[in-house]
Amino acid sequence: MAAAQKDDAVVSRAIKVGLAPMAGFTDMPFRLLCTEGGADFAVSEMISAAALTRNDKKTEGLAATDPREAPCALQIFGHDPEVTAEAAAALAERRPLAIEINMGCPVKKIVSSGDGSALMRDPDLAGKITEATSRAAHAAGIPLWVKIRAGWKKGEVTAPEFACVLVSAGADRITVHGRTRDQMYAPSSDNGVIRAVKEKIGEGAEVFGNGDIDGPESAVRMIRETGCDGVLVGRAALGDPWIFGRIKAALAGEEIPPLPTKEQRVSAAVRLLRDVCALYGEERGVRESRGRAARFIKGIKGSAAVLDRLNHASTEAEFRDILSRLI
Ligand SMILES: Cc1cc2nc3c(=O)[nH]c(=O)nc-3n(C[C@H](O)[C@H](O)[C@H](O)COP(=O)(O)O)c2cc1C
């Protein structure tokens, strides 16, 4: 049966499933939950290369990892090859899984400084950044990855040629989010462009796909349709770190575990609250936990009223008590 043969082809490859970088979310406490949920690896929140080279303490905190978590790549953004190389050399001392350069962020503040997806409009500079940074990372024995988008806008879908420039400049992995910069997060991500990058790069470097994976089916579809070497899950993991286990089971041809129960979701939100408060202090921890808890309890009966009350909670104990009443 054709479908079964295709499934076998997916199952027989060693596909890695990772947590995509998300500023404000993919810090160490959340990555630990994803590790337990089955993620093979994760990527940190993006870290300013310029701030890092100024020894900014808050920025250094973004690079913190924990030995209990799955291997973690540290992501930087910047537009000056000397600065990104210096930042990579400093981060390499922490022995991350990889250093990744962000060339995909669409946010105005980042793009207007020439960072993130703005670099997709300047392949020469992007190549120089990749060359200098990969040299610094490789000197320490650490791989260099770059995360890109499909292109800048419709009619400027340059990812395949752009990826070639980056691989020639020393990138070991290209992660492609199948949307252009001006699409931000809608309409749906295009697997065709991920496939085009994979075909262009061949065996020259790994190509990982990203965009709109919300469970085993969409993950398997992306792998089938693109031939990519691995996938990253972003938004769908925010309230469901168990998604990695379900995807991995599907890829291994095993029985897919059930969706998490209400109790598991609320318990995970409570644990995240505890760990975030321990890491950042109670005031910031409670503030940061509002948006995070919302993802975990979405869809549970009574969650709208609970969210409203969480927005007014000011201590960890109060926050925990309100959450716990959902179960
Ligand atoms: C809140 C948020 C923060 C993000 N921060 C980053 C980031 O720091 N670096 C990056 O390369 N991509 C960032 N992204 C993009 C994601 O890594 C990913 O490419 C995108 O969400 C598409 O994947 P998904 O459909 O699985 O969510 C962010 C996305 C969201 C929603």
Side-chain angles (χ1 to χ4, degrees), residues 19-26 43-47 75 77 100-107 147-149 175-179 184-185 189 210-214 232-238 295:
L19 171 67
M22 284 177 285
F25 289 95
T26 58
V43 185
S44 72
E45 307 176 80
M46 62 178 177
I47 303 167
Q75 190 189 68
F77 68 94
E100 179 169 87
I101 310 174
N102 180 331
M103 297 197 188
C105 181
V107 174
K147 183 160 175 280
I148 66 174
R149 281 189 168 234
T175 295
V176 188
H177 173 195
R179 285 191 180 88
M184 302 295 277
Y185 293 98
S189 182
N210 166 240
D212 292 349
I213 292 178
D214 61 1
L232 286 99
V233 183
R235 291 164 297 170
L238 290 176
R295 312 273 177 160

Side-chain angles (χ1 to χ4, degrees), residues 138-324:
H138 291 165
I142 305 288
L144 189 278
W145 303 347
V146 187
K147 183 160 175 280
I148 66 174
R149 281 189 168 234
W152 180 256
K153 61 180 185 189
K154 198 172 169 214
E156 247 184 84
V157 175
T158 54
E161 301 74 35
F162 188 71
C164 269
V165 172
L166 305 179
V167 171
S168 305
D172 301 292
R173 176 185 298 180
I174 307 293
T175 295
V176 188
H177 173 195
R179 285 191 180 88
T180 55
R181 185 262 167 175
D182 70 346
Q183 288 179 322
M184 302 295 277
Y185 293 98
S188 49
S189 182
D190 176 14
N191 282 345
V193 72
I194 301 171
R195 175 174 199 91
V197 172
K198 179 64 193 164
E199 282 173 352
K200 191 98 177 168
I201 299 298
E203 298 307 309
E206 293 175 315
V207 175
F208 273 50
N210 166 240
D212 292 349
I213 292 178
D214 61 1
E217 207 180 303
S218 44
V220 169
R221 191 183 325 120
M222 180 182 281
I223 294 160
R224 274 206 208 126
E225 289 180 3
T226 68
C228 63
D229 302 295
V231 293
L232 286 99
V233 183
R235 291 164 297 170
L238 290 176
D240 179 10
W242 305 272
I243 191 172
F244 298 98
R246 299 199 301 281
I247 294 173
K248 295 216 39 125
L251 295 180
E254 294 165 359
E255 194 179 328
I256 297 173
L259 291 171
T261 62
K262 182 170 81 169
E263 287 73 16
Q264 282 174 309
R265 288 159 62 191
V266 173
S267 303
V270 168
R271 184 177 135 193
L272 192 57
L273 165 77
R274 183 198 68 194
D275 291 354
V276 166
C277 287
L279 187 64
Y280 302 120
E282 188 174 33
E283 194 192 335
R284 180 174 162 201
V286 166
R287 199 170 358 106
E288 294 244 349
S289 292
R290 291 185 185 125
R292 299 182 189 218
R295 312 273 177 160
F296 280 89
I297 64 174
K298 194 173 163 201
I300 297 179
K301 194 161 172 263
S303 61
V306 163
L307 263 183
D308 195 44
R309 298 188 57 206
L310 288 178
N311 284 336
H312 297 98
S314 53
T315 66
E316 182 184 343
E318 202 185 338
F319 200 103
R320 188 181 49 239
D321 288 349
I322 297 169
L323 265 181
S324 304

Side-chain angles (χ1 to χ4, degrees), residues 57-70:
K57 288 288 164 239
K58 194 169 168 208
T59 304
E60 281 174 17
L62 290 171
T65 56
D66 186 292
R68 293 169 299 169
E69 64 174 290

